[in-house]
Amino acid sequence: MALYLVTGVAGFIGSNIARELVRRGERVRGIDNFSTGKRHNLEDLSAHIDFVEADIRNIAAMREVCASADYVIHQAAIPSVPRSVEDPITSNEANVDGTLNVLVAARDAKVKRVVYASSSSLYGDIPTLPKREDMAPSPISPYAVSKLTGEYYMRSFYRVYGLETVSLRYFNVFGPHQDPTSMYSGVLAIFTSRMLRGEPVTINGDGEQSRDFTYIDNVVSANLLACLAPAEQVAGRYFNTATGHRITLNQTFEILKKLTNYNGNPKYGPDRSGDVKHSLADISLAQKHLGYKPLVMFEEGLRRTVEWYKATQVAHASA
Ligand code: UD1
């Protein structure tokens, strides 16, 4: 049985990946420093995984957790475009320095492959849709720069040291376990949780910005495919991880309104600094080389997400 190391295992995406690996009967080790990850995301997992509380910026800790790992699924990061605009140094330390540590430790431990959480944000203000991997990156925010830098390190470690790396460019991931409580949370986590409680929501700008919102199960499946796909097709490469469809924030609000039985209307605020206007992926490269296909499309994903927040908000309210 292979040993998978998941960095950021207490986070939204990391915990979902670990849960699926455990479900498949794989061995899982996880690392998190709880800077943005949550202990409650590990509640159902801790009995089944080997968990180490440590920071990816700590190279000694990284060496320990990489020892004997077969695959590293690197999800630890400080997400959020606006957070990086507020504090670019902290985003850079986690996303760039931390990623370099992961790579050095993985290289020295001779792991088979590192799979990296890259981001659609690196396409930035390229006007052409859909975004294809052969377009030159044009990052706007410090977050996008940090994720692109991590991706360059992934490619460098493959070319220079022969460490197999695969970067997955996530497009606006959403679903169960996404934290709704921070001002930096993803928009669907914020909207779903607030609308279920009947609280007001604010749309930044005119609401006509669009996203290729990607349900978490699709991202989990892409990560597991990326670990096992033939090296000659994937090593040192990067792939869009998305659905290939986009929807505006205004349309999304209307769907959520029905799903949550919400009565209000959104408030409209100013555009958000560093924001990308439209985002849509071409997923054909991932389909071809990873064997990836979206498993759950947007509306079904949103329905499942609403159900999950409903259940957890009730559970927390009565706890
Ligand atoms: C960006 C990346 C995404 C990455 C994420 C990490 C792009 C296209 N996407 O997401 O791949 O995973 O960073 O954090 O760059 N909004 C509101 N009201 C709110 C909150 C947000 O209107 O209360 C708007 C934002 O201004 C934005 C949209 O919703 O236009 C999506 O925002 P958010 O969920 O923060 O994600 P991105 O910044 O698009």
Side-chain angles (χ1 to χ4, degrees), residues 31-33 35 52-59 61-62 94 98 101:
I31 178 172
D32 208 294
N33 68 348
S35 68
V52 178
E53 182 171 347
D55 194 314
I56 55 167
R57 288 169 300 181
N58 176 346
I59 183 73
M62 276 318 302
N101 273 349

Side-chain angles (χ1 to χ4, degrees), residues 56-79:
I56 55 167
R57 288 169 300 181
N58 176 346
I59 183 73
M62 276 318 302
R63 288 191 190 286
E64 269 177 41
V65 292
C66 277
S68 72
D70 294 289
Y71 303 101
V72 176
I73 302 187
H74 176 37
Q75 306 301 304
I78 301 217

Side-chain angles (χ1 to χ4, degrees), residues 20-94:
E20 177 60 16
L21 285 167
V22 167
R23 197 189 67 77
R24 293 185 184 192
E26 301 291 353
R27 289 164 62 219
V28 182
R29 182 178 293 155
I31 178 172
D32 208 294
N33 68 348
F34 297 111
S35 68
T36 60
K38 301 281 178 254
R39 288 182 198 277
H40 60 72
N41 283 340
L42 298 179
E43 266 163 18
D44 61 322
L45 280 174
S46 44
H48 307 285
I49 69 172
D50 168 20
F51 175 68
V52 178
E53 182 171 347
D55 194 314
I56 55 167
R57 288 169 300 181
N58 176 346
I59 183 73
M62 276 318 302
R63 288 191 190 286
E64 269 177 41
V65 292
C66 277
S68 72
D70 294 289
Y71 303 101
V72 176
I73 302 187
H74 176 37
Q75 306 301 304
I78 301 217
S80 169
V81 167
R83 193 196 306 254
S84 77
V85 172
E86 286 289 316
D87 180 4
I89 293 179
T90 305
S91 290
N92 189 81
E93 283 171 357

Side-chain angles (χ1 to χ4, degrees), residues 13 78-82 118-124 131 141 143-144 147 169-173 178 183-191 194 201-205 207 209-213 249 267 269-280:
I13 300 175
I78 301 217
S80 169
V81 167
S118 185
S119 169
S120 64
S121 59
L122 60 79
Y123 291 110
K131 311 294 186 202
S141 62
Y143 172 77
K147 280 285 158 179
R169 295 178 171 176
Y170 299 164
F171 282 64
N172 290 72
V173 190
Q178 190 170 27
M183 62 187 284
Y184 300 124
S185 297
V187 67
L188 295 184
I190 297 176
F191 278 19
R194 292 185 69 87
V201 296
T202 302
I203 290 182
N204 303 326
Q209 65 266 52
S210 60
R211 294 289 183 270
D212 190 335
F213 286 114
L249 220 44
K267 260 178 36 194
D271 285 333
R272 196 176 72 182
S273 164
D275 238 13
V276 165
K277 187 73 185 174
H278 299 295
S279 180
L280 170 70

